[in-house]
PDB file of all heavy atoms in Angstrom:
ATOM      1  N   CYS A  79       6.813  -2.495   3.155  1.00 95.00           N
ATOM      2  CA  CYS A  79       6.965  -3.890   2.754  1.00 95.00           C
ATOM      3  C   CYS A  79       8.076  -3.993   1.710  1.00 95.00           C
ATOM      4  O   CYS A  79       8.081  -3.263   0.727  1.00 95.00           O
ATOM      5  CB  CYS A  79       5.664  -4.444   2.198  1.00 95.00           C
ATOM      6  SG  CYS A  79       5.804  -6.203   1.781  1.00 95.00           S
ATOM      7  N   CYS A  81       8.812  -6.931   0.121  1.00 94.00           N
ATOM      8  CA  CYS A  81       8.695  -8.178  -0.653  1.00 94.00           C
ATOM      9  C   CYS A  81       8.885  -7.903  -2.144  1.00 94.00           C
ATOM     10  O   CYS A  81       8.715  -6.776  -2.629  1.00 94.00           O
ATOM     11  CB  CYS A  81       7.361  -8.874  -0.381  1.00 94.00           C
ATOM     12  SG  CYS A  81       5.968  -8.264  -1.337  1.00 94.00           S
ATOM     13  N   CYS A  84       5.850  -6.297  -4.090  1.00 94.00           N
ATOM     14  CA  CYS A  84       5.709  -4.850  -3.893  1.00 94.00           C
ATOM     15  C   CYS A  84       6.786  -4.091  -4.674  1.00 94.00           C
ATOM     16  O   CYS A  84       6.515  -3.044  -5.259  1.00 94.00           O
ATOM     17  CB  CYS A  84       5.793  -4.490  -2.415  1.00 94.00           C
ATOM     18  SG  CYS A  84       4.311  -4.916  -1.472  1.00 94.00           S
ATOM     19  N   ARG A 121      -3.994  -6.339  -6.269  1.00 97.00           N
ATOM     20  CA  ARG A 121      -3.420  -5.001  -6.293  1.00 97.00           C
ATOM     21  C   ARG A 121      -4.332  -4.136  -7.150  1.00 97.00           C
ATOM     22  O   ARG A 121      -4.884  -4.599  -8.143  1.00 97.00           O
ATOM     23  CB  ARG A 121      -2.014  -5.021  -6.910  1.00 97.00           C
ATOM     24  CG  ARG A 121      -1.078  -6.091  -6.327  1.00 97.00           C
ATOM     25  CD  ARG A 121      -0.720  -5.776  -4.902  1.00 97.00           C
ATOM     26  NE  ARG A 121       0.158  -6.791  -4.321  1.00 97.00           N
ATOM     27  CZ  ARG A 121       1.248  -6.497  -3.627  1.00 97.00           C
ATOM     28  NH1 ARG A 121       1.594  -5.239  -3.393  1.00 97.00           N
ATOM     29  NH2 ARG A 121       1.974  -7.463  -3.111  1.00 97.00           N
ATOM     30  N   VAL A 184       3.748 -11.914   0.772  1.00 64.00           N
ATOM     31  CA  VAL A 184       2.569 -11.065   0.858  1.00 64.00           C
ATOM     32  C   VAL A 184       1.693 -11.253  -0.387  1.00 64.00           C
ATOM     33  O   VAL A 184       0.482 -11.228  -0.325  1.00 64.00           O
ATOM     34  CB  VAL A 184       2.967  -9.576   1.018  1.00 64.00           C
ATOM     35  CG1 VAL A 184       1.753  -8.678   0.893  1.00 64.00           C
ATOM     36  CG2 VAL A 184       3.611  -9.363   2.362  1.00 64.00           C
TER      37      VAL A 184
HETATM   38 ZN1  LIG B 202       4.973  -6.591  -0.136  1.00 88.86          ZN
END
Side-chain angles (χ1 to χ4, degrees):
C79 183
C81 83
C84 285
R121 311 292 179 133
V184 171

